[in-house]
Amino acid sequence: MRRSLVVANWKMHGSLNDNNHWIKNFKSSDLKQLTNTDIVICPSYPYLAQLQQSLLGQQNSHIFLGTQDVSSFANGAYTGQVSLSMIKDFSVNYVILGHSERRALCFEDDKLVADKAKAVMAGGLNPIVCLGETLEERETNKTHQVIKRQLQAVLDSVKSEDNLSNLVIAYEPVWAIGTGLNATAEQAQEVHRTIREQLTSVLSAELAANIRVIYGGSVKPNNAQELFNQPDIDGGLIGGASLDAGLFLEICTAATGRK
Ligand code: PEP
């Protein structure tokens, strides 16, 4: 079985004070019980140092830092952007890419997301590439077509199979993000299965079997277990519920107990 993975996407929330409370609550629980789950916290860039200092450590080797994006450029005159080498200075291991909010609000297209994923993998970090259909696309039966196109762009951009072992896919139906409307376990499993089939059709069987595919979209403690028990769902990308350390821990516990 692939290792469970749960990712907290804090989006543009948090402050030094709020984060300290969150960290205190998170660390007050027995994190050792979650050692078979990789847990990734993705704050906004200014808080990376705070989390690096207070959360990472030898006894928490299953806890990682992530960011919500990264520049596609290595360095130079790109005002406002943050590079891969900069986030590496803060022990970042994971990078969320192609979140639907960035695709919609920052006009990121498949090509840019694929280029970023390629750069992140070449730099030895793990991209978490988000794929997902809008409500209109689902209602006009375009879900599989959209997911296939978004995933294929990433697979096409990476030539060497070696780099792909770091890839993580997050299936996040746009209509389920922040709306309280999660995909049912069956709906999510159906899309995850087709993602796995696409990976298998392009990559070696071993590599395709090892890439983790997680689900995101209104995951809460009351629906996490059923979602995570699906055979092709390896964990979750959590937005709203990750802002509460207690709720987030309950979701991590569900991932740890997945069957
Ligand atoms: C997300 O932003 O990636 C997300 C899944 O948000 P939420 O859990 O709030 O739906």
Side-chain angles (χ1 to χ4, degrees):
M1 197 195 234
R2 292 171 288 273
R3 261 181 83 74
S4 301
L5 172 66
V6 182
V7 182
N9 175 14
W10 284 359
K11 310 196 187 191
M12 204 171 68
H13 295 289
S15 66
L16 287 174
N17 213 11
D18 289 350
N19 301 349
N20 275 336
H21 283 298
W22 191 99
I23 292 161
K24 196 165 158 244
N25 288 339
F26 186 70
K27 283 170 98 174
S28 69
S29 80
D30 186 5
L31 297 175
K32 282 203 197 76
Q33 287 187 348
L34 305 173
T35 41
N36 72 355
T37 296
D38 290 336
I39 299 174
V40 183
I41 315 297
C42 303
S44 292
Y45 296 122
Y47 303 118
L48 286 174
Q50 181 189 21
L51 281 135
Q52 180 193 30
Q53 281 155 22
S54 55
L55 213 53
L56 304 185
Q58 263 183 343
Q59 71 278 32
N60 292 335
S61 58
H62 56 305
I63 299 180
F64 301 93
L65 262 188
T67 58
Q68 301 167 20
D69 185 37
V70 75
S71 176
S72 58
F73 301 107
N75 55 50
Y78 302 103
T79 303
Q81 300 211 27
V82 174
S83 75
L84 197 59
S85 64
M86 291 171 183
I87 62 175
K88 279 174 136 181
D89 278 344
F90 295 91
S91 317
V92 165
N93 280 98
Y94 288 83
V95 183
I96 298 173
L97 294 173
H99 190 281
S100 61
E101 286 152 16
R102 291 203 63 83
R103 289 181 191 260
L105 303 173
C106 306
F107 311 107
E108 293 203 359
D109 61 13
D110 292 344
K111 164 93 174 58
L112 180 60
V113 174
D115 286 348
K116 288 184 177 187
K118 184 178 175 177
V120 168
M121 285 187 269
L125 272 61
N126 305 270
I128 302 169
V129 177
C130 302
L131 318 174
E133 81 286 5
T134 62
L135 186 58
E136 192 197 342
E137 287 162 344
R138 175 160 280 266
E139 286 176 347
T140 50
N141 293 322
K142 294 200 182 101
T143 299
H144 293 281
Q145 186 188 321
V146 171
I147 302 299
K148 208 169 176 180
R149 189 200 74 225
Q150 293 174 337
L151 177 56
Q152 198 57 44
V154 176
L155 298 176
D156 286 346
S157 85
V158 182
K159 297 281 179 294
S160 154
E161 287 219 340
D162 292 337
N163 292 337
L164 278 166
S165 56
N166 289 354
L167 179 64
V168 175
I169 301 295
Y171 169 53
E172 295 213 307
V174 180
W175 49 272
I177 296 177
T179 58
L181 290 174
N182 66 291
T184 64
E186 292 72 30
Q187 283 173 323
Q189 165 57 23
E190 195 206 343
V191 177
H192 280 239
R193 190 183 47 238
T194 62
I195 290 172
R196 180 79 51 207
E197 282 168 3
Q198 190 176 348
L199 292 172
T200 308
S201 72
V202 175
L203 307 172
S204 70
E206 196 192 343
L207 181 56
N210 283 331
I211 291 175
R212 289 179 290 185
V213 185
I214 59 177
Y215 169 80
S218 297
V219 177
K220 308 281 182 236
N222 66 359
N223 58 24
Q225 193 72 72
E226 196 188 357
L227 285 159
F228 298 164
N229 278 348
Q230 301 303 309
D232 291 300
I233 300 184
D234 303 318
L237 176 49
I238 320 300
S242 74
L243 297 173
D244 179 316
L247 296 181
F248 184 63
L249 281 161
E250 285 186 56
I251 293 170
C252 293
T253 304
T256 298
R258 95 192 151 95
K259 298 192 184 86

